[in-house]
Amino acid sequence: MPKTLKETFAAKLPAEVERIKKLRKVHGSKIVDEVTLDQVYGGARGIKSLVWEQVRMLSEDWAARSDLPGYVVELVDRCPPDLHPMAQLSLAVTALERDCAFAKAYARGTNKKEYWEYVFEDSMNIIAKLPTIAARIYHNVFREGRSVPVAVQKDKDFTFNLVNQLGFGNNEEFTELMRLYITLHADHEGGNVSAHATHLVGSTLSSPMLSLASGFNGLAGPLHGLANQESLNWLQKMKATIGDDLSDKAITDYLWSTLNSGQVLPGYGHSVLRQTDPRYLAQRTFALRHLPNDPMFKLVSQLYKLAPEVLTQHGKTKNPYPNIDAHSGVLLQHYGLRETRFYTVLFGISRAMGVLAQVIIDRALGFPIERPKSYSTDAWVGFVGAKL
Ligand code: AMX
């Protein structure tokens, strides 16, 4: 009988706990980083202070847990269609807290060594329900509630069910794209806003539902996950302005007009990467294979050629290359998913897998509440011996 994911995790846990104990006992006082004042004021960029790992989940288990409580369906159905789908997603995930196994176990006085087991159950339940919540939001907002998502097919994989519930289940190529999409967007390291917000809120022993909702609220910002929405909107505006003229000059002029009006080029730049985002390249490979003649893909390819040079001349961004969000919308619109306000919800479904996996590990390894130390500017002036 093969072991379940939970049993496998439980079997590996004691050795990992021991390994970390030993690491800290022998090497705990070693200095692992130096911090500059720029890093302190620069959003803690690059300070090595987080531990982040990943686990894999099982589609069948998610399908079995996918039903939504009636009050969550009612809550989503009552949202006005002009409430952003990310706000609706965050509300629905927050509302799932009513059935939080961890919060109930905590209230009963459960031993902290067992916390992770309840967090595991909650995380699996949340991930399993996300496609159904997302599809409900999609049908309400963009199909005016005229249709409701079909039921999850218990023998099919997670992404098939997501695509099917959205109403695109008959398109195998789109389903394949979404398998790539879900894989790419779960990937992260712990310092990005959605991952760190989930981890930070979880460190208070807040429930996985409230922790993930915090992560989603961060993902909904235009400098983070909402950039996929912003990027396609901006590409469409560009296309409406330059028409079929994809010449270097027409595009370069448009890039400068965006920058000169004090806006960022959405989908370009990154806080950590200093090269083209490998997740952009994976999507480009898919596009070259399946939609090389799509007019929007041609525009995106021209941008890939021209924007890094323009951003370099602009002289501000540390990374003038495209990130994941510069490409995803063009692929989605090609297959008929054109509602850009929904794009970050898809990002969120994938990101939930990565960040909740970490929340389980956080509780399993007994990570403490996070509490960095803050100082006033006067104190920092004193620390660096500045005469200001
Ligand atoms: N267009 C124009 N200017 C940009 C820029 C872009 N794409 N990227 C960075 N800059 C500017 C910054 O606004 C900043 O200007 P300022 O000094 O006037 O404030 C300067 O360059 C330095 O920024 P940085 O150190 O290179 O980047 P950062 O770590 O502060 O920010 C990011 C990173 C992603 C927020 C930024 O590159 C950006 O705003 N990009 C556009 C939005 C985007 O694509 N976000 C999605 C990122 C991926 C994700 O999280 N999903």
Side-chain angles (χ1 to χ4, degrees), residues 45-109:
R45 199 79 78 245
I47 299 175
K48 293 181 210 149
S49 57
L50 297 169
V51 185
W52 205 258
E53 316 205 16
Q54 295 240 7
V55 294
R56 293 165 60 200
M57 311 270 181
L58 298 171
S59 279
E60 299 96 310
D61 197 357
W62 287 328
R65 299 167 184 253
S66 60
D67 289 344
L68 297 185
Y71 73 94
V72 173
V73 172
E74 199 181 325
L75 178 74
V76 170
D77 287 353
R78 279 174 176 246
C79 287
D82 56 352
L83 178 63
H84 194 282
M86 275 306 281
Q88 296 194 32
L89 182 70
S90 174
L91 270 178
V93 168
T94 298
L96 288 176
E97 227 238 355
R98 177 172 171 267
D99 298 320
C100 177
F102 170 70
K104 291 190 175 114
Y106 189 87
R108 282 198 304 272

Side-chain angles (χ1 to χ4, degrees), residues 60-248:
E60 299 96 310
D61 197 357
W62 287 328
R65 299 167 184 253
S66 60
D67 289 344
L68 297 185
Y71 73 94
V72 173
V73 172
E74 199 181 325
L75 178 74
V76 170
D77 287 353
R78 279 174 176 246
C79 287
D82 56 352
L83 178 63
H84 194 282
M86 275 306 281
Q88 296 194 32
L89 182 70
S90 174
L91 270 178
V93 168
T94 298
L96 288 176
E97 227 238 355
R98 177 172 171 267
D99 298 320
C100 177
F102 170 70
K104 291 190 175 114
Y106 189 87
R108 282 198 304 272
T110 299
N111 188 312
K112 61 178 164 184
K113 290 200 174 106
E114 292 164 24
Y115 287 170
W116 76 265
E117 299 196 33
Y118 298 97
V119 171
F120 182 98
E121 294 301 326
D122 287 336
S123 299
M124 293 291 268
N125 284 332
I126 298 168
I127 292 168
K129 293 177 196 322
L130 287 176
T132 312
I133 294 171
R136 190 107 205 156
I137 294 170
Y138 183 76
H139 286 268
N140 283 349
V141 174
F142 303 110
R143 299 284 176 270
E144 294 164 4
R146 283 193 299 267
S147 51
V148 288
V150 293
V152 163
Q153 295 184 25
K154 312 268 177 197
D155 57 337
K156 293 280 178 32
D157 69 271
F158 180 86
T159 308
F160 171 86
N161 276 313
L162 168 64
V163 169
N164 198 35
Q165 288 192 296
L166 290 175
F168 296 82
N170 54 1
N171 189 333
E172 183 49 40
E173 197 172 288
F174 180 55
T175 308
E176 206 43 41
L177 167 68
M178 288 310 294
R179 290 198 180 101
L180 175 70
Y181 185 104
I182 293 290
T183 306
L184 293 179
H185 286 77
D187 187 28
H188 62 92
E189 53 83 44
N192 70 75
V193 169
S194 52
H196 192 210
T198 307
H199 168 79
L200 174 67
V201 173
S203 84
T204 70
L205 300 187
S206 182
S207 70
M209 290 79 176
L210 299 184
S211 306
L212 180 64
S214 308
F216 280 169
N217 294 342
L219 192 70
L223 297 188
H224 191 18
L226 203 79
N228 58 9
Q229 162 186 317
E230 295 301 295
S231 175
L232 193 67
N233 287 347
W234 175 68
L235 289 170
Q236 280 164 343
K237 270 193 234 152
M238 189 185 313
K239 192 91 175 70
T241 307
I242 64 174
D244 293 333
D245 181 5
L246 299 192
S247 65
D248 291 8

Side-chain angles (χ1 to χ4, degrees), residues 42 45 185 192-193 219 221-228 230-231 259 263-272 274 277 279 311 314-321 323-326 347 351:
R45 199 79 78 245
H185 286 77
N192 70 75
V193 169
L219 192 70
L223 297 188
H224 191 18
L226 203 79
N228 58 9
E230 295 301 295
S231 175
L259 290 170
Q263 298 170 64
V264 293
L265 304 187
Y268 278 76
H270 200 274
S271 294
V272 179
R274 295 293 174 257
D277 189 333
R279 299 167 302 177
L311 279 170
H314 185 240
K316 282 194 163 187
T317 175
K318 298 190 188 68
N319 177 45
Y321 301 107
N323 60 57
I324 190 166
D325 298 313
F347 193 156
R351 182 54 55 98

Side-chain angles (χ1 to χ4, degrees), residues 330-369:
V330 164
L331 297 172
L332 296 173
Q333 61 87 40
H334 177 82
Y335 292 99
L337 210 166
R338 298 199 180 87
E339 297 87 359
T340 54
R341 289 203 313 143
F342 192 68
Y343 287 0
T344 313
V345 171
L346 296 174
F347 193 156
I349 292 172
S350 171
R351 182 54 55 98
M353 297 185 192
V355 300
L356 287 174
Q358 185 62 40
V359 171
I360 296 166
I361 292 170
D362 290 350
R363 296 293 77 77
L365 298 180
F367 281 4
I369 187 167

